[in-house]
């Protein structure tokens, strides 16, 4: 039941949308497994990049509000 709730979450759906978008646009030669692996890595990189960027934007905002 817990796993089902995770699969139905907005976060999971957003990650799947990013994955599918990258999978549809990436051009990787090799087997479907190679393409899926490259897509998964690109998805994680993109999500981490957005998370880190958001984190730094939030931290910078806090710093400027403190002054």
């Amino acid at each position: 039941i817990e796993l089902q709730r995770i699969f139905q979450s907005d976060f999971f759906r957003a990650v799947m949308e990013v994955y599918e978008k990258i999978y549809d646009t990436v051009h990787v030669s090799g087997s479907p497994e190679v393409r899926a692996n490259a897509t998964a890595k690109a998805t994680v990189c993109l999500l981490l990049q957005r998370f880190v960027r958001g984190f730094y934007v939030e931290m910078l905002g806090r710093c400027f509000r403190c002054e």
Side-chain angles (χ1 to χ4, degrees):
I1 291 176
E2 184 68 27
L3 193 56
Q4 181 180 0
R5 202 172 79 207
I6 291 170
F7 288 153
Q8 293 172 344
S9 71
D10 290 340
F11 176 75
F12 185 80
R13 276 192 290 270
V15 170
M16 283 302 299
E17 285 178 22
V18 170
Y19 178 90
E20 290 169 357
K21 185 74 151 182
I22 292 173
Y23 188 87
D24 290 341
T25 58
V26 74
H27 300 287
V28 176
S29 58
S31 68
E33 290 82 12
V34 170
R35 185 176 180 189
N37 191 358
T39 302
K41 289 178 181 180
T43 301
V44 169
C45 287
L46 180 66
L47 293 171
L48 283 174
Q49 180 185 38
R50 289 183 178 176
F51 172 78
V52 168
R53 185 181 307 139
F55 173 78
Y56 282 116
V57 167
E58 181 181 336
M59 298 291 22
L60 284 171
R62 286 183 183 179
C63 288
F64 286 117
R65 283 192 298 267
C66 291
E67 292 182 333

